[in-house]
Amino acid sequence: MRFVLRRLLSMVPALFGILVAVFVITRVLPGDPAAILAGEQADASTIERLRIEMGLDQPLITQFFNYVLGIFRGDLGFAWHTGQPVTQDLAVRFPATIELGTTALLIAILVGVPLGVASAVRRGKVIDQITRVITLVGASMPLFWLGLLVIYVFYFRLGIQPAPSGRIGSSVNPPTTITGFYLLDSVLTADWVAFGSAFSQLIWPAMVLATGGIAMISRMTRSSTLEVLGQDYVRTAVSKGLPPMVVIGKHAFRNASPAVVTIIGLEFGGLLGGAVLTETIFSWPGVGLYVTQSIMATDYAPVQAFTLVTAAAYLIINLLVDLAHAGIDPRVRHA
């Protein structure tokens, strides 16, 4: 219990520092949100009235104090470009982002872990060379360029990808909302037409978003497995004549898994940041696209809320990873 409390208390300074940094950065960016919201034809009195309504006429310290008080009340601000509270916008858009990020993480795990294990077991062989190329390309490939390339090749040229225009085809009705996740809601309501359309729309941006995760997970899995394969207990298991699958699965990968769990947790947190570019390119109506639209409108509150929520999610994921390590190795609790 004390281990969890220490970790939770250590999150407070980090979150506060992020809050201060984002607040200051958004205020020094060029552009007047009131003038942008009012439009080019608005007169000075209209812009000044909007500045008062948005609280921009107050000193920065007062704006920051009011913003922090609002957070404690569960108020993340008002999105002027949508005309709704930020919490309401996030509640509508977060299921789309979580569905995309979770699918991308599953793809990264299902591809990256077997690749890493195979590369370690067949060190120096063809599969190892192929894995190295995949990790190099995946780690260095910019998401925005890869997304545009996928759309150009598979949609415009080959026609096998659906139009990148949202979570479901334009001719298909969304499933009845239960959880907000289209795939899960389609299964719960047995709406297989919606399931097929939602899956075809989801898989392409998910594969693009998973590219970096595949590279990092396979690389970490390879290095951790290689380290374990050189241990005495693995060589002893081999000398006893145990089947290779038992040696690799029960003895080698099991002991290499803590490092793999760590990188998977970190990658899931990183996927939230990568979703901004992926959702913008594929017109995916999640939080990432919402933040991009907010930046274009110079709307402070959504950007601040997204950064704060992402930072909190990242810290919570790190806590869960630490708890997983503590369950594996009790010595971690006293670190």
Side-chain angles (χ1 to χ4, degrees), residues 59-116:
L60 281 179
I61 187 65
T62 303
Q63 295 182 42
F64 179 74
F65 183 73
N66 291 335
Y67 181 66
V68 172
L69 287 180
I71 291 176
F72 282 109
R73 295 194 302 265
D75 180 12
L76 295 176
F78 190 82
W80 293 95
H81 75 287
T82 64
Q84 296 185 18
V86 174
T87 51
Q88 185 174 334
D89 285 339
L90 293 180
V92 172
R93 293 173 178 267
F94 247 119
T97 298
I98 295 174
E99 187 173 45
L100 176 61
T102 303
T103 305
L105 184 64
L106 288 176
I107 294 173
I109 294 172
L110 293 176
V111 176
V113 172
L115 270 181

Side-chain angles (χ1 to χ4, degrees), residues 4-327:
V4 177
L5 289 176
R6 287 202 311 269
R7 289 292 189 269
L8 289 175
L9 289 176
S10 67
M11 292 182 184
V12 177
L15 285 175
F16 184 76
I18 292 170
L19 181 63
V20 173
V22 174
F23 183 87
V24 173
I25 291 173
T26 54
R27 292 310 190 277
V28 300
L29 289 175
D32 186 350
I36 295 175
L37 181 64
E40 297 181 357
Q41 306 300 323
D43 54 25
S45 60
T46 302
I47 296 175
E48 184 61 27
R49 178 176 56 81
L50 282 175
R51 286 182 58 83
I52 295 174
E53 291 180 4
M54 299 171 74
L56 299 177
D57 61 317
Q58 301 174 354
L60 281 179
I61 187 65
T62 303
Q63 295 182 42
F64 179 74
F65 183 73
N66 291 335
Y67 181 66
V68 172
L69 287 180
I71 291 176
F72 282 109
R73 295 194 302 265
D75 180 12
L76 295 176
F78 190 82
W80 293 95
H81 75 287
T82 64
Q84 296 185 18
V86 174
T87 51
Q88 185 174 334
D89 285 339
L90 293 180
V92 172
R93 293 173 178 267
F94 247 119
T97 298
I98 295 174
E99 187 173 45
L100 176 61
T102 303
T103 305
L105 184 64
L106 288 176
I107 294 173
I109 294 172
L110 293 176
V111 176
V113 172
L115 270 181
V117 173
S119 178
V121 174
R122 299 292 183 180
R123 184 179 184 183
K125 305 297 183 181
V126 175
I127 184 63
D128 189 21
Q129 302 302 326
I130 293 175
T131 302
R132 289 184 181 184
V133 173
I134 292 175
T135 56
L136 178 62
V137 173
S140 59
M141 185 80 70
L143 275 180
F144 70 90
W145 186 86
L146 179 61
L148 293 174
L149 182 63
V150 166
I151 293 173
Y152 175 75
V153 173
F154 294 100
Y155 173 62
F156 286 105
R157 305 298 294 183
L158 300 179
I160 62 177
Q161 175 190 346
S165 57
R167 300 179 68 186
I168 201 165
S170 57
S171 60
V172 180
N173 292 324
T176 302
T177 302
I178 299 176
T179 64
F181 306 115
Y182 277 14
L183 292 183
L184 182 57
D185 289 348
S186 300
V187 172
L188 294 177
T189 58
D191 190 346
W192 304 116
V193 174
F195 180 88
S197 179
F199 180 81
S200 64
Q201 294 287 136
L202 171 66
I203 193 63
W204 294 96
M207 288 191 296
V208 170
L209 186 57
T211 304
I214 292 173
M216 297 303 297
I217 291 174
S218 60
R219 181 181 297 176
M220 180 60 69
T221 303
R222 179 184 183 275
S223 62
S224 301
T225 306
L226 275 176
E227 182 180 351
V228 172
L229 287 175
Q231 300 297 319
D232 292 338
Y233 59 85
V234 175
R235 289 197 292 265
T236 302
V238 174
S239 65
K240 288 181 178 180
L242 294 178
M245 293 301 296
V246 174
V247 175
I248 296 170
K250 184 177 181 180
H251 297 281
F253 182 72
R254 182 177 181 181
N255 289 280
S257 59
V260 179
V261 170
T262 299
I263 196 64
I264 289 175
L266 295 177
E267 281 300 314
F268 186 68
L271 289 176
L272 293 176
V276 174
L277 292 173
T278 307
E279 290 183 6
T280 302
I281 293 169
F282 285 89
S283 299
W284 189 263
V287 178
L289 180 60
Y290 174 63
V291 170
T292 301
Q293 295 169 343
S294 301
I295 293 173
M296 298 298 292
T298 321
D299 201 347
Y300 297 144
V303 179
Q304 294 172 168
F306 172 77
T307 306
L308 184 62
V309 171
T310 303
Y314 200 83
L315 292 172
I316 291 173
I317 290 170
N318 280 335
L319 173 62
L320 295 177
V321 170
D322 288 341
L323 291 176
H325 285 181

